[in-house]
Amino acid sequence: KPGDRVQIMGVYRALSSATQGQRSTSGVFPTAVLVNDIRILGRDSHGLVFTPNDVRAIRTLGKRSDILDVLGRSVCPSIHGHEVIKKALALQLLSGVEKNLANGTHLRGDINILMVGDPSTAKSQLLRSAMGIAPLA
């Protein structure tokens, strides 16, 4: 599962990309890890303990109509502006919902963000802040 810390034992190998007897001369080969063993070292829970007061406060916040604005302002409050990007990062940290459709299609709940902008517009600082909130999200 995402967030689990694992140890993988195997062989890192360059695969031959030659097809039908032709040899590759580019020097670039696809690689793979042939896994022999996987051990789960631990889960990413960090010992979170919620008191009844914490649960009440979370439920109260969840009932607010402006909860997305509140969460957006909570992401990297030291950076002025970028409200839409901060809201997008908050939604990414919360993630979506996985769905398995009736026709067998699996939709992942991951939310991806492409952040493009001029140099020195706080892109890296925003991402570092999100990583500090949830390192494995």
Side-chain angles (χ1 to χ4, degrees):
K1 294 274 185 186
D4 290 352
R5 297 202 181 264
V6 296
Q7 179 182 39
I8 298 175
M9 301 296 278
V11 178
Y12 182 76
R13 186 171 282 177
L15 304 174
S16 173
S17 61
T19 57
Q20 301 176 356
Q22 297 174 344
R23 303 197 107 187
S24 173
T25 59
S26 69
V28 178
F29 297 96
T31 57
V33 176
L34 305 175
V35 177
N36 297 329
D37 185 43
I38 298 176
R39 294 182 186 158
I40 296 176
L41 300 177
R43 307 229 182 254
D44 182 36
S45 62
H46 294 292
L48 294 176
V49 178
F50 294 106
T51 66
N53 288 337
D54 293 334
V55 174
R56 273 193 295 278
I58 291 169
R59 288 192 175 148
T60 303
L61 275 172
K63 292 177 183 175
R64 291 179 60 164
S65 61
D66 65 339
I67 185 64
L68 186 56
D69 294 325
V70 172
L71 291 174
R73 287 192 305 266
S74 300
V75 174
C76 202
S78 62
I79 294 178
H80 179 70
H82 303 292
E83 287 83 11
V84 174
I85 295 171
K86 290 179 179 184
K87 289 177 188 178
L89 286 171
L91 290 173
Q92 183 182 38
L93 290 171
L94 294 172
S95 191
V97 177
E98 285 190 28
K99 292 182 181 178
N100 291 312
L101 303 180
N103 65 359
T105 304
H106 177 74
L107 300 175
R108 297 180 304 159
D110 300 334
I111 298 173
N112 298 306
I113 296 174
L114 173 63
M115 198 181 308
V116 180
D118 290 331
S120 299
T121 54
K123 296 180 300 293
S124 296
Q125 290 83 352
L126 287 164
L127 293 175
R128 272 194 219 106
S129 174
M131 191 172 67
I133 295 169
L136 298 175

